[in-house]
Every structure is written in structure tokens, then in C-alpha cells.
Amino acid sequence: REARPSAIEQLIGGFGRANVPVEQRVLYPPPDVLVALPTSATGEIDILTTWPIEFASLGPFSIPLQAWIQDPDGPKGFASTAGVELRQD
């Protein structure tokens, strides 16, 4: 399901996994990094970026990510994505 059209979504990134229950959902990453992103008129977000070459020297790692958005139709007024991992192997 798409997010609500023309809304602000919080992309949450963390260092590790939290798995904390929040309003009938589970906050997958700890909220170490929060980025507010607007959804389009169709409820989508496109993120285009380049992976910095300096990250290659860090070796393998993963960053847990999850998006949360205010949604009056969601439990307790919120909706969230499943947790995903941004990985460098």
C-alpha cells in the first residue's frame, strides 16, 4: 500500500536494532537518524543517491531503516513500513 498522498514521512535509521513496540507497531531501528521526506501526490517517495566511495573501506555493515507516517486510518493514527536493512557486504 502506498503512503498517504502529499504527507510528511519520517525515515528512521539506526545503528543496531531496537524492535520496540510502539502504538501496535514495532519500531525496528533505534531512532539515531531521522529524515523527513514528503510523499508525492500518489503517496510515493523516490530516493536517489550515490554511495560514497569512502564507505568501501569500512568493510561489511548494515543500517536498519524504517518509514513512519501519520495516517488517520492506521492504528493509533500511524502507519509504518516493515524494517529493512541497507547492507554493504
Side-chain angles (χ1 to χ4, degrees), residues 9-10 31 46-47 59:
E9 186 169 283
Q10 291 291 328
D46 290 321
I47 301 172

Side-chain angles (χ1 to χ4, degrees), residues 4-89:
R4 292 188 63 77
S6 305
I8 300 296
E9 186 169 283
Q10 291 291 328
L11 180 63
I12 301 170
F15 304 105
R17 293 178 195 92
N19 293 319
V20 175
V22 177
E23 302 295 342
Q24 299 179 359
R25 300 282 187 183
V26 174
L27 178 62
Y28 180 62
D32 296 316
V33 178
L34 300 172
V35 179
L37 301 167
T39 63
S40 69
T42 58
E44 298 174 332
I45 293 177
D46 290 321
I47 301 172
L48 303 174
T49 187
T50 302
W51 196 250
I53 192 69
E54 294 82 9
F55 281 22
S57 65
L58 296 177
F61 67 89
S62 66
I63 301 171
L65 299 171
Q66 187 177 36
W68 284 72
I69 190 167
Q70 282 189 305
D71 184 344
D73 296 331
K76 303 287 185 173
F78 287 90
S80 66
T81 65
V84 298
E85 301 262 337
L86 176 64
R87 297 177 52 102
Q88 173 174 290
D89 293 322

